Amino acid sequence: MDSNCESLELLQEPRFDTDKLSYEIFSILESKFLFGYDDRKLWKPIQVSPEISITPAAAEDDGVFQAMKNQRGKVCVLSIDGGGMRNILAGKALGYLENALKLKSGNPNARIADYIDVAAGTGIGGVFTAMLFGSRNQRVPIFKAEDTWRFLAENGKRLYGGDGGGSGGGFLRKFFCGGGATAGFEKVMKEAFVVNGRSLTLKDTLKPVLIPCYDLFSSAPFLFSRADALETDSFDFHLWEVCSATSAEPDVVQPVQMNSVNGKTLCVAVDGGLAMSNPTAAAITHVLHNKQEFPLVRGVEDLLVLSLGSGQVAEGNYDFDQVRNWKAKDWARPMARISGDSSADMVDHAIAMAFGENRSGNYVRIQANSSGIGRYGPVVDSDPSPTNVKTLIDRADEMLRQKNVESMLFGGKRIGDQTNYEKLEWFAGELVLEHQMRSSRIVPTIAFKQATSKRT
């Protein structure tokens, strides 16, 4: 009996430091991520400077609490889904965001890389990430945001073989023959990321970037990361190979066998969408656990996240009479698309839950839905034909005019009051405001790693 009582006491009030720590961690996680609630009594004192320390009791004052958050600032994150030719939709959103940044900052030369601290991209989204953050001089990106979707529209035939990419015969021929567009894809990537004879690497990106692939050599997802590249050349890779790797869809491009710049790390890469079609969670995790570069981040309330989808209507809508007689080969492409889109949607919903009450002010998801865009006809991810490209451009413009769709905490989705255009404009304003406030803070919000060794 005494033993049972003692066990009950331990559960109610932890006696040992380790038990107490575990108890507090669980309490914070439970209140923060399940209910989106900040229990300020559980906070530890924050050392703002050697002379100033804010205690949990002081944090009860709303003014002090807001001052603490202002001093920490917000880490600005961009994530871009994969989607092949459908990434024209994300590229259009990027172009609008950069133009809004120019207007709100008053700087006609403003770039997305000036305001975003961390960027992640999968597939063609990874190519866009490298375009926006890769630099030949560590000052200015080699591409503007408007160049992203134009790059994809103009080079589609070279990237995807130019045979329409969507017919059953073409798909099966490329699948069994090992990627019909490999040579063209590699050539386009080299033209973009080999500058004046020098091949840009992950170290040549202006800010932390994360680009995933699936590594067949280790049978595990692999994340190309600037932070890792700055630590050791064993994780520094050429950008043209990184972009080829994350975009190596098995039915389009052959797997990419690649080595790090010092030849010590081998990767046999295929499509990043197989590992993570929506890399937003990877970007958030990178920030929350990277205290060296983001020392003041305490939770999702210290993040400002923009996640760009690539649309969810790929090859048209199917009715029962169409699909009931499909054979295995007929399901290959629809299943891949369903899997990728569903995974991206689940990541979006999980992140919205993690942000809790902060989801409307700290997290924005731009994604096309089927409402109002079906009239443009079906599209195919790897079809670079003029008809498909024009359809995608029209859809992109329609997507930006649509009302923004927001994932609700335990409640599915709801259509918001603002359009995607308005959401992007609001987000641009928040980025400019955060950028301006950093000059008045006591300590820096970010402390990016610098290269420690010269490239040979």
Side-chain angles (χ1 to χ4, degrees):
M1 181 70 177
D2 292 338
S3 175
N4 291 335
C5 290
E6 185 176 353
S7 298
L8 185 59
E9 277 184 4
L10 287 173
L11 287 173
Q12 292 174 337
E13 186 174 352
R15 290 187 176 184
F16 302 104
D17 291 340
T18 54
D19 290 337
K20 187 174 182 181
L21 179 61
S22 299
Y23 176 81
E24 289 183 353
I25 289 173
F26 178 79
S27 298
I28 293 171
L29 288 174
E30 182 182 48
S31 61
K32 180 66 187 172
F33 294 104
L34 292 183
F35 304 106
Y37 175 75
D38 284 317
D39 187 353
R40 301 174 197 169
K41 292 180 180 179
L42 296 176
W43 289 4
K44 295 183 181 297
I46 297 177
Q47 196 73 30
V48 177
S49 70
E51 297 81 19
I52 304 174
S53 178
I54 300 178
T55 64
E60 285 300 301
D61 179 80
D62 285 336
V64 174
F65 170 59
Q66 192 59 47
M68 290 164 59
K69 292 188 71 173
N70 289 339
Q71 280 301 320
R72 297 201 304 268
K74 293 179 181 178
V75 175
C76 305
V77 178
L78 171 67
S79 174
I80 311 172
D81 288 11
M85 293 299 298
R86 288 189 300 153
N87 274 102
I88 286 176
L89 281 71
K92 279 277 191 175
L94 291 168
Y96 187 82
L97 175 66
E98 190 165 273
N99 285 330
L101 288 171
K102 293 176 181 179
L103 292 173
K104 291 185 177 295
S105 67
N107 177 11
N109 298 315
R111 300 286 189 89
I112 285 177
D114 298 333
Y115 297 91
I116 293 294
D117 301 314
V118 178
T122 294
I124 296 297
V127 178
F128 287 0
T129 299
M131 291 175 68
L132 295 176
F133 289 84
S135 173
R136 64 169 65 94
N137 57 14
Q138 286 297 309
R139 292 191 301 274
V140 181
I142 52 179
F143 291 96
K144 298 178 181 179
E146 194 72 13
D147 295 331
T148 56
W149 70 269
R150 295 186 187 278
F151 173 86
L152 183 56
E154 293 168 3
N155 291 287
K157 288 186 178 181
R158 299 169 67 199
L159 293 171
Y160 292 104
D163 62 356
S167 63
F171 167 73
L172 290 175
R173 177 180 58 77
K174 287 186 292 183
F175 186 84
F176 289 112
C177 293
T182 299
F185 208 105
E186 289 184 357
K187 188 174 182 180
V188 172
M189 292 303 109
K190 285 181 179 179
E191 290 174 359
F193 299 109
V194 178
V195 181
N196 296 327
R198 184 170 76 84
S199 179
L200 301 183
T201 73
L202 287 167
K203 287 185 179 180
D204 292 304
T205 52
L206 296 169
K207 303 282 183 71
V209 297
L210 301 163
I211 300 175
C213 72
Y214 187 85
D215 181 17
L216 297 173
F217 185 71
S218 62
S219 299
F222 188 91
L223 203 59
F224 298 104
S225 168
R226 175 184 184 268
D228 292 339
L230 293 178
E231 288 291 331
T232 171
D233 285 344
S234 295
F235 289 104
D236 191 20
F237 292 84
H238 296 285
L239 279 180
W240 76 266
E241 287 187 307
V242 170
C243 292
S244 297
T246 192
S247 306
E249 300 177 36
D251 64 319
V252 179
V253 180
Q254 288 178 347
V256 179
Q257 180 169 312
M258 55 197 295
N259 289 286
S260 57
V261 294
N262 65 1
K264 292 186 177 181
T265 303
L266 171 67
C267 179
V268 181
V270 291
D271 185 14
L274 298 175
M276 53 184 79
S277 55
N278 179 348
T280 310
I284 291 174
T285 303
H286 177 79
V287 174
L288 294 179
H289 293 278
N290 187 352
K291 294 302 181 185
Q292 182 177 347
E293 293 187 299
F294 311 105
L296 299 183
V297 173
R298 299 175 66 90
V300 292
E301 70 273 10
D302 295 328
L303 303 180
L304 188 61
V305 179
L306 173 63
S307 176
L308 299 179
S310 56
Q312 291 183 311
V313 182
E315 298 176 15
N317 300 313
Y318 304 103
D319 58 35
F320 178 72
D321 289 334
Q322 287 177 282
V323 303
R324 64 178 176 175
N325 294 320
W326 277 5
K327 296 179 174 59
K329 66 181 181 64
D330 301 318
W331 278 102
R333 182 176 290 276
M335 284 182 65
R337 186 71 272 143
I338 291 168
S339 176
D341 285 347
S342 298
S343 174
D345 209 37
M346 288 298 294
V347 169
D348 168 45
H349 188 69
I351 290 172
M353 291 177 62
F355 272 91
E357 63 183 6
N358 296 300
R359 67 185 182 277
S360 296
N362 293 62
Y363 174 63
V364 174
R365 172 74 168 168
I366 303 295
Q367 172 71 303
N369 58 65
S370 58
S371 174
I373 62 175
R375 64 179 180 275
Y376 295 109
V379 297
V380 181
D381 295 0
S382 56
D383 179 7
S385 68
T387 300
N388 196 53
V389 170
K390 184 180 184 306
T391 299
L392 284 165
I393 292 173
D394 291 341
R395 279 193 175 189
D397 293 332
E398 179 64 29
M399 174 199 72
L400 293 172
R401 289 191 291 266
Q402 285 180 338
K403 294 290 187 181
N404 183 254
V405 178
E406 178 183 342
S407 289
M408 299 295 294
L409 189 65
F410 302 119
K413 295 181 179 292
R414 74 176 183 90
I415 297 178
D417 297 326
Q418 293 181 302
T419 64
N420 286 322
Y421 272 127
E422 292 168 332
K423 273 288 187 179
L424 286 169
E425 191 167 344
W426 172 85
F427 192 85
E430 293 296 298
L431 290 178
V432 172
L433 179 61
E434 169 62 25
H435 189 74
Q436 293 171 345
M437 292 180 66
R438 288 183 180 181
S439 61
S440 63
R441 293 192 180 120
I442 299 173
V443 291
T445 303
I446 54 177
F448 291 137
K449 294 179 182 178
Q450 302 298 322
T452 56
S453 62
K454 293 182 180 179
R455 184 184 296 102
T456 58

